[in-house]
Amino acid sequence: MPSEILVVGGVAIVALIVLTMLFKAIWRVAEPNEALIISGLGAHTRNELADSLGFKIVTGKGTAVLPGFQTSRRLRLDSRATNLQVNCVTQQGIPVQVRGVIIYKVGDDFTSIANAARRFLDQQDSMNGAIHELFTGHLRSIIGNLTVEDLILNRERLTSETRSSAADEMSKLGLVVDSLQIQEIEDETGYITNLGKPHAAKIAASARIAEAQRDQEATEAEQIAAANKAAAWRDAQIKQASYQAEIDEAQARSRQSGPLSEATARQEVVVQETRTAELEAQLSEQRLQSQVRKPADAKAYETVTLSQAERDARIAQAEAEAKETELRAVAQASQVKQAAAADAESVRLRGEAAAAATRATGLSEAEAAKARGLAEAEAAKARGLAEAEAIRARSEALRENQEAVIAQQLAENWPQIVEAGAKAFGNVDHMVVLNGAQGIEEMLAKALTLGGTGLGLARTLLAGGSPAAVQQGGASVNGAEPTTKNAVDAAS
């Protein structure tokens, strides 16, 4: 009995193992991403499509396959991807290279599976090549009717037209396109790069304009703050100068009257310094105009003529720079004028104080000079009176002793008188004397008697006679007296 049970149990186990092995041999299960294609004896389903094709399609479940009578093969239903790289020519005649990717799969319906099975069941790896060739042709045809701008700006149109044009062929192949993406469009001529440059320049110009405007606003704020600071500094300096002027004036009054002339001169200096400061301010303003604003305008004009694409940006930048420079120049000129006004006010106050001091000193010095002038005038008057008295005394002495005075004067000047008389012979180159030695003696005697003639003439003049009376008095010794009188008359 126990042995029979063991035999029955062993047979049951063997039968179970055989049944299990037989079930595994004939039962096939389709995975979620595949379809079973069963062909052979009795391989058909209850639909007309399977009957017309002569094979059975199983998806998502299992089925029995009779070994030797039927054959099952698997068709993958998962997604596949293939890359596209197409060289084509646009409507404008510009060669471009288009790179993209296609994601496709076998359709889920029985018709698509049947079409794919009949074409790719044994050569599923060749699907990528077929899809690449199919879409390459359609892309070339579609791109030939589009411009480069259309390709760049409306890629969705390109993909939709490509998918719609290839829809019939894909349906016949039993395939569906999950996604078609155009990844990149390139051209060897640089057309696309040049196409984007105006837009890039416009964006760059907008950025530069915005930056220049921000810089201008910041500069205006800085200049306003600097102007306020300069105004406060000016007010403080003016007050300090006013206080210092009052102190200087009080000290000058306490010391004495002070040097008025120095203050006057200092006032002139202050006036000139003020004018110089104003001229320097004007010069600084003109220099800013000539060195900053005009070069900036010239730079802007040059930039406009060189680059049409960047014209708006550079004009705006030049205007911003010119505005900034003008504001800076106005602020600097205002600072210079304010500083000059403060300095002028300070110097004016100090000059007025020093002028008051110097005016008093000048008055005291004028009084002293007046006293000295009066003293010098009195001294000159005394000297003149003394000299007049001396002249009068000499005149009286001459009137009383004229003979002695004239004789003394002739004695002192006798050599000069003889020399003057002998000069008549100095210009004679050749002299012929007719009377020999007597003639020479007569000429010498006449020359020597000129002194006596001069004595008689001087005596006559002192006696109150006129030259005419002397001339009518007749000849003197040796006949030379009239000639001498005439000479004296001419000399008087």
Side-chain angles (χ1 to χ4, degrees), residues 351-483:
E352 289 178 355
T358 306
R359 186 180 297 110
T361 301
L363 292 175
S364 62
E365 290 180 354
E367 292 295 333
K370 180 179 180 181
R372 288 194 299 270
L374 292 174
E376 291 176 357
E378 291 296 331
K381 180 179 180 181
R383 286 196 300 270
L385 293 174
E387 290 178 357
E389 185 65 25
I391 293 171
R392 185 180 61 78
R394 283 197 301 271
S395 299
E396 291 178 355
L398 182 60
R399 185 168 54 251
E400 294 175 358
N401 299 313
Q402 59 179 353
E403 294 293 337
V405 173
I406 293 172
Q408 182 182 357
Q409 293 294 327
L410 290 175
E412 291 176 356
N413 296 309
W414 188 256
Q416 289 82 3
I417 294 172
V418 175
E419 182 181 358
K423 283 184 178 180
F425 303 99
N427 296 325
V428 178
D429 293 336
H430 300 282
M431 181 181 294
V432 179
V433 181
L434 299 177
N435 295 332
Q438 184 180 357
I440 295 174
E441 290 176 359
E442 290 177 357
M443 286 188 294
L444 292 175
K446 288 181 179 181
L448 292 175
T449 56
L450 289 175
T453 305
L455 178 60
L457 178 61
R459 185 182 296 110
T460 303
L461 291 174
L462 292 174
S466 63
V470 175
Q471 189 173 7
Q472 291 175 1
S476 65
V477 182
N478 295 329
E481 185 176 355
T483 306

Side-chain angles (χ1 to χ4, degrees), residues 43-57 110-111 114-115 118:
H44 56 84
T45 56
R46 295 179 181 179
N47 53 57
E48 297 179 356
L49 177 62
D51 293 339
S52 64
L53 294 177
F55 56 84
K56 181 180 179 180
I57 300 173
F110 283 170
T111 302
N115 292 336
R118 298 191 66 176

Side-chain angles (χ1 to χ4, degrees), residues 135-411:
F135 279 89
T136 296
H138 285 289
L139 278 174
R140 285 175 178 167
S141 176
I142 294 170
I143 291 173
N145 295 323
L146 299 176
T147 62
V148 177
E149 289 80 358
D150 295 333
L151 296 179
I152 295 173
L153 300 177
N154 197 358
R155 294 190 182 186
E156 185 63 28
R157 174 186 173 187
L158 175 62
T159 56
S160 62
E161 289 185 1
T162 303
R163 293 180 67 170
S164 62
S165 64
D168 292 340
E169 288 86 347
M170 293 293 287
S171 178
K172 292 177 182 179
L173 295 176
L175 303 175
V176 293
V177 177
D178 288 341
S179 176
L180 171 61
Q181 297 295 328
I182 303 300
Q183 295 177 330
E184 190 174 358
I185 300 174
E186 296 179 350
D187 70 303
E188 299 177 354
T189 62
Y191 183 87
I192 297 176
T193 303
N194 295 329
L195 192 64
K197 284 184 177 180
H199 302 285
K202 184 177 180 180
I203 298 301
S206 301
R208 291 179 182 176
I209 292 172
E211 183 178 0
Q213 290 176 350
R214 301 291 85 75
D215 292 341
Q216 179 180 349
E217 293 175 357
T219 302
E220 289 178 354
E222 291 175 356
Q223 295 300 330
I224 292 172
N228 294 334
K229 182 178 179 181
W233 181 82
R234 179 202 60 190
D235 296 338
Q237 291 294 320
I238 291 173
K239 290 182 180 179
Q240 291 178 5
S242 177
Y243 298 153
Q244 186 65 37
E246 293 176 359
I247 294 171
D248 293 341
E249 184 177 358
Q251 291 178 351
R253 289 177 180 176
S254 64
R255 282 195 302 267
Q256 280 176 359
S257 51
L260 179 60
S261 59
E262 181 181 358
T264 303
R266 181 58 182 168
Q267 184 177 4
E268 293 296 330
V269 172
V270 170
V271 172
Q272 294 299 326
E273 288 178 350
T274 303
R275 293 177 180 175
T276 303
E278 292 177 353
L279 291 175
E280 288 178 354
Q282 294 177 2
L283 178 61
S284 299
E285 185 175 359
Q286 292 298 327
R287 186 180 290 111
L288 287 173
Q289 291 288 335
S290 61
Q291 295 181 357
V292 177
R293 185 172 183 178
K294 290 183 178 178
D297 294 339
K299 181 69 176 179
Y301 179 76
E302 180 182 1
T303 305
V304 168
T305 57
L306 292 177
S307 177
Q308 186 68 27
E310 298 181 358
R311 178 185 60 190
D312 296 337
R314 300 201 176 195
I315 289 175
Q317 183 176 4
E319 291 176 352
E321 291 177 355
K323 181 65 176 178
E324 178 181 355
T325 304
E326 183 178 359
L327 290 174
R328 187 181 295 111
V330 171
Q332 291 177 355
S334 177
Q335 292 178 3
V336 173
K337 289 182 178 178
Q338 292 172 358
D343 292 340
E345 183 67 18
S346 175
V347 174
R348 185 185 65 79
L349 294 175
R350 288 198 299 269
E352 289 178 355
T358 306
R359 186 180 297 110
T361 301
L363 292 175
S364 62
E365 290 180 354
E367 292 295 333
K370 180 179 180 181
R372 288 194 299 270
L374 292 174
E376 291 176 357
E378 291 296 331
K381 180 179 180 181
R383 286 196 300 270
L385 293 174
E387 290 178 357
E389 185 65 25
I391 293 171
R392 185 180 61 78
R394 283 197 301 271
S395 299
E396 291 178 355
L398 182 60
R399 185 168 54 251
E400 294 175 358
N401 299 313
Q402 59 179 353
E403 294 293 337
V405 173
I406 293 172
Q408 182 182 357
Q409 293 294 327
L410 290 175

